[in-house]
Amino acid sequence: MGLPPPAPPLLGLLLLLGILRPLWGDLVFLPAFIRMTGPAVTASLVGSTEGVTVSLTLLQDQEGLLPVPACGVLTNETGDWSLTVTPAVNALEVTVRLKRGRQRCSSNETESSSESPCMVQALLVSASRNSSCLAHLLIRVEIYANSSLAHNASENVTVIPNQVYQPLGPCPCNLTAGACDVRCCCDQECSSDLTELFREACFTGVFGGDVSPDSDHLCSVQESRGAPGWFPFLCVQSSPANSPFLGYFYHGSVSSQRRASFRVHLRADLRDRSDFGYKQGDPIMTVDKTYFTIPQVSLAGQCVQNAPVAFLHNFDVRCATNLEAYQEQDGGVIHAKIKNGAVGGIVTPRVTYEEAADPDAFITRTGTLLSNESASRNVNVEEHYIFRWNNNTISEINVKIIRAEINAHQKGIMTQRFTVKFLSYNSGEEKEFSGNPGYQLGKPVRALDINRMNNETTLHLWQSAGRGLCTSATFKPVLFGEDTLSGCLLEVGIHENCTWLRENAAELLDSLVQATHVAMRGNSNYSDPSDGWLEIIRADAADPGAAPPVSVHGLCADVPARLHIRILFSDAGAVEGMTQHEIVGVETRFSTVNWQFQCGLTCEDKADLFPVSASVQFIKIPAQLPRPLTRFQINFTEYDCNRNEVCWPQLLYPLTRYYQGEPYSQCVAKGLLLASFFILAALLSNPWTRTCKA
């Protein structure tokens, strides 16, 4: 049938050499012994592999003993086996594979002795240099006939059982019909001897056959899982065969596979209701019965090039575009004919062009130009759309496109900006309100600088681009209700003057708050400083000129590094059911750090990066001070729901103010209706009837 197991002296010698040789720096196989149960095994030959020859031989037993390996008598006549050597990093990957052309396990052998292996052999892989043995790998081959590694998968259709009485697929890891699946201990086709090979590495969970786990409510699980003392009174007496998984897959029909797709499919029959007027959220249509599209950012954060524009929906987005894949599309805007919302009405956009003052602020170069040709092309870096609306129609569309001229072979990433704004037909060019009268969430915080002629401004934050340097960072407004943290990097050298560093950092932080007052409401008038304007409180303003008495080379103390902006707001009533927010105070505060030049192994005269940041925090305060606690509430804490497990004030929870699931009026109405049912039941009860008769 085959060879006996390897002799203990030979196996021990190979294992000992495999442990000691890496310590000596010699050539060695890792591992030195492999028990093979599949069609292929792989080992690594580690060490000095230059000029090494790897060969394979089949060891023949001599009265039950394996011969001592000798490289001088190695032969390549290995019959059913093939040897493959693949170079790796400071090693060789050696793979021994059973040839598929020959079937050693026939059907007769499988039927007669399926419990025992059909192939038992001993293989020896030797590494030699100049006919001198350097390392050996001993392989013990045991391949069973009833194994998925020795058989091809069956193409027979699996019979689906009735899921009402037994779970569908009691052994999910049984993937091969008529053969034993390795590590699948619930496979009934695995013999006991074959299961012993992988019993310690069986699949667990549902895939391993635990498809009907015991419920935590069964009385039989009390002893094994350490249930509490009251468990016997509330546990469920049920047979383990009555699994809650029964009937979970009641209809065992076979369905075709559906491939997931992330594409956005538009309806073939676009519903065009623009002839009867637009409503808020309706897509704007063209005369060709297509959507008027502008690139927008999706919920996943990606830019959608052909996103429909919704009526009365403003947006301001930025998209990153590869210059190699960029295609100019402004020609479609010029010739677009848009339905205005009336029958037969058409609006043609009026387009104006402007040249970008600094194209490098929009383009991040990823490579140098290999051609010095003077050919150039224009790219759109910003597109601003203004829609004038009148009731449910569009009266005018103005488009301003800002272009930049770049080299035709320029490579890099371009950041484009797209804005859409809907304005009333009779509104002028005045600044847009941030609310009327209170602030709306997401609108810019209105600010005022009384020291300038053009006093209209706002609070800003940094919007870094490219390397994140402060010199290339742009500003973005502070939006109401959004806590934000932004920053940029300032290049500083090892010989930097500390006074200049403090002044530069303080100037950068002060540039974010070029204002003296902040509007309490979203519609405060810029022309009237008394119309709800609050003065900004500047706590511990930075003093860049105050230098410390000690100045160390490469070290500066008390450098302004962070600006904290705290905005206090509260609810100031409601208009048509909408809560109106009002700012009641603004404070700015600086934080300083001690800067030290970061050196590696040596301090080189190169620029270091000093981070500066700014944070905005919105703090909501109650419009009225809370009622102070009484002496009874302070001394007797058993009625405090926050410090006790039992909360008596919430005994009738649906009827109290703590319940926020429904309006309080509906809760009271439902409570009174329930109380009337109890009163009616008491009046119609038998004891009450007897009392009336008496």
Side-chain angles (χ1 to χ4, degrees):
M1 188 66 190
L3 295 178
L10 178 60
L11 181 58
L13 177 62
L14 292 175
L15 292 178
L16 181 61
L17 292 177
I19 296 175
L20 296 180
R21 282 186 174 181
L23 302 178
W24 301 333
D26 295 341
L27 207 64
V28 63
F29 281 101
L30 295 178
F33 173 74
I34 297 178
R35 187 173 184 179
M36 181 177 181
T37 59
V41 292
T42 302
S44 298
L45 181 60
V46 183
S48 179
T49 59
E50 184 177 359
V52 174
T53 303
V54 182
S55 59
L56 173 68
T57 185
L58 177 64
L59 296 180
Q60 302 294 337
D61 60 339
Q62 298 176 359
E63 297 179 357
L65 298 176
L66 292 176
V68 179
C71 295
V73 295
L74 294 179
T75 176
N76 292 328
E77 296 178 0
T78 54
D80 301 335
W81 304 96
S82 64
L83 177 66
T84 304
V85 180
T86 304
V89 180
N90 297 329
L92 295 178
E93 296 291 337
V94 180
T95 303
V96 178
R97 192 181 307 276
L98 178 64
K99 295 180 181 179
R100 298 183 179 180
R102 304 186 58 179
Q103 300 292 338
R104 295 294 305 270
C105 300
S106 61
S107 59
N108 295 333
E109 293 176 352
T110 304
E111 295 176 359
S112 60
S113 57
S114 59
E115 296 292 331
S116 59
C118 68
M119 179 181 293
V120 179
Q121 293 181 356
L123 303 177
L124 183 65
V125 181
S126 302
S128 61
R129 183 185 292 118
N130 299 328
S131 300
S132 176
C133 293
L134 301 177
H136 298 284
L137 168 63
L138 183 61
I139 302 176
R140 165 76 173 180
V141 182
E142 290 183 4
I143 297 181
Y144 288 77
N146 190 20
S147 173
S148 60
L149 302 177
H151 281 265
N152 295 327
S154 174
E155 298 295 335
N156 296 332
V157 179
T158 304
V159 179
I160 299 178
N162 190 349
Q163 300 102 56
V164 179
Y165 305 103
Q166 56 181 323
L168 176 62
C171 187
C173 60
N174 184 11
L175 303 177
T176 308
C180 174
D181 291 273
V182 178
R183 296 185 60 190
C184 186
C185 295
C186 61
D187 193 348
Q188 300 298 326
E189 297 162 344
C190 295
S191 62
S192 58
D193 294 339
L194 190 58
T195 307
E196 290 296 331
L197 297 176
F198 49 80
R199 183 170 296 278
E200 300 297 332
C202 296
F203 292 113
T204 59
V206 177
F207 186 71
D210 190 13
V211 295
S212 299
D214 295 334
S215 176
D216 295 336
H217 305 306
L218 294 179
C219 299
S220 58
V221 303
Q222 177 183 6
E223 299 179 358
S224 60
R225 302 186 181 180
W230 49 263
F231 184 78
F233 299 97
L234 300 177
C235 64
V236 178
Q237 291 286 353
S238 178
S239 173
N242 187 18
S243 170
F245 291 92
L246 292 178
Y248 189 71
F249 303 99
Y250 185 79
H251 298 287
S253 59
V254 179
S255 61
S256 58
Q257 181 182 6
R258 294 183 179 180
R259 297 184 178 272
S261 177
F262 295 95
R263 297 180 179 177
V264 179
H265 298 279
L266 300 178
R267 296 176 58 92
D269 50 339
L270 301 180
R271 298 181 179 180
D272 185 8
R273 301 189 182 94
S274 59
D275 292 335
F276 304 97
Y278 290 106
K279 294 186 299 182
Q280 184 176 7
D282 287 349
I284 297 178
M285 306 296 296
T286 64
V287 293
D288 299 329
K289 293 189 176 181
T290 59
Y291 292 143
F292 179 71
T293 61
I294 297 175
Q296 301 178 41
V297 178
S298 65
L299 295 177
Q302 298 178 346
C303 281
V304 181
Q305 296 296 326
N306 298 322
V309 178
F311 185 66
L312 296 182
H313 279 197
N314 302 338
F315 62 83
D316 186 350
V317 299
R318 286 175 171 83
C319 295
T321 306
N322 194 334
L323 287 176
E324 295 181 351
Y326 172 79
Q327 295 181 355
E328 191 173 0
Q329 300 177 355
D330 61 310
V333 178
I334 298 176
H335 303 289
K337 295 183 179 180
I338 301 174
K339 292 186 176 182
N340 66 350
V343 178
I346 298 176
V347 179
T348 302
R350 293 189 299 179
V351 183
T352 58
Y353 293 93
E354 293 183 6
E355 295 297 329
D358 185 12
D360 294 335
F362 304 93
I363 299 175
T364 303
R365 305 178 188 273
T366 58
T368 57
L369 293 175
L370 300 179
S371 176
N372 295 326
E373 298 179 1
S374 59
S376 61
R377 61 170 176 164
N378 292 324
V379 293
N380 297 344
V381 294
E382 291 187 7
E383 296 182 9
H384 304 277
Y385 297 81
I386 297 179
F387 292 80
R388 297 282 181 176
W389 59 272
N390 183 10
N391 292 330
N392 55 358
T393 61
I394 299 175
S395 59
E396 184 181 349
I397 301 177
N398 296 320
V399 183
K400 183 175 68 173
I401 299 178
I402 301 178
R403 301 185 300 184
E405 185 177 356
I406 63 174
N407 192 285
H409 304 282
Q410 178 65 52
K411 296 181 180 180
I413 303 299
M414 178 178 58
T415 301
Q416 294 180 289
R417 183 185 179 189
F418 301 92
T419 64
V420 169
K421 183 182 298 184
F422 284 85
L423 299 177
S424 177
Y425 74 100
N426 56 0
S427 63
E429 299 296 334
E430 66 272 4
K431 295 292 183 179
E432 184 182 1
F433 290 155
S434 296
N436 188 19
Y439 275 98
Q440 295 182 7
L441 296 178
K443 292 292 185 178
V445 175
R446 295 162 64 88
L448 177 68
D449 189 358
I450 61 175
N451 299 325
R452 296 189 305 175
M453 295 296 297
N454 186 12
N455 57 3
E456 300 179 8
T457 182
T458 183
L459 306 181
H460 294 96
L461 290 174
W462 284 301
Q463 185 168 3
S464 302
R467 296 176 54 195
L469 299 178
C470 297
T471 55
S472 61
T474 58
F475 291 130
K476 63 179 181 180
V478 174
L479 303 181
F480 182 82
E482 296 183 5
D483 295 343
T484 314
L485 175 63
S486 68
C488 61
L489 300 175
L490 182 64
E491 290 184 327
V492 185
I494 189 173
H495 302 290
E496 202 69 61
N497 184 277
C498 293
T499 303
W500 178 89
L501 178 59
R502 296 188 194 93
E503 292 177 353
N504 195 11
E507 183 180 355
L508 286 173
L509 296 174
D510 284 335
S511 64
L512 301 177
V513 186
Q514 294 293 328
T516 58
H517 294 74
V518 169
M520 296 179 58
R521 303 181 302 273
N523 62 348
S524 297
N525 189 2
Y526 282 105
S527 303
D528 187 4
S530 62
D531 185 19
W533 292 93
L534 297 173
E535 185 176 359
I536 299 176
I537 302 174
R538 300 179 182 270
D540 56 17
D543 187 6
V550 180
S551 179
V552 183
H553 183 67
L555 176 64
C556 296
D558 298 334
V559 180
R562 187 165 184 176
L563 172 65
H564 304 270
I565 303 176
R566 296 182 176 92
I567 300 177
L568 305 181
F569 72 99
S570 63
D571 296 340
V575 176
E576 296 182 357
M578 299 297 294
T579 303
Q580 302 298 311
H581 306 291
E582 186 179 82
I583 294 179
V584 296
V586 179
E587 180 195 56
T588 62
R589 186 183 299 270
F590 289 91
S591 297
T592 60
V593 297
N594 297 330
W595 170 80
Q596 182 179 4
F597 188 85
Q598 301 296 328
C599 296
L601 298 178
T602 59
C603 285
E604 301 178 358
D605 189 8
K606 61 180 182 180
D608 190 16
L609 297 178
F610 176 70
V612 291
S613 60
S615 64
V616 177
Q617 182 183 9
F618 286 85
I619 303 174
K620 185 176 182 179
I621 61 175
Q624 297 179 354
L625 294 177
R627 181 181 300 177
L629 297 177
T630 63
R631 184 181 304 174
F632 176 80
Q633 294 174 338
I634 297 175
N635 297 332
F636 299 94
T637 60
E638 59 267 18
Y639 293 97
D640 191 351
C641 297
N642 297 326
R643 290 183 285 180
N644 294 278
E645 296 182 356
V646 180
C647 183
W648 291 107
Q650 298 181 10
L651 179 61
L652 301 176
Y653 181 71
L655 300 180
T656 62
R657 295 287 185 177
Y658 301 99
Y659 179 65
Q660 302 294 332
E662 294 177 314
Y664 184 71
S665 58
Q666 295 185 11
C667 296
V668 174
K670 293 178 181 178
L672 294 177
L673 181 61
L674 184 62
S676 64
F677 287 156
F678 280 111
I679 296 175
L680 182 62
L683 293 176
L684 298 180
S685 61
N686 194 18
W688 183 266
T689 305
R690 293 179 181 179
T691 303
C692 294
K693 290 182 179 180

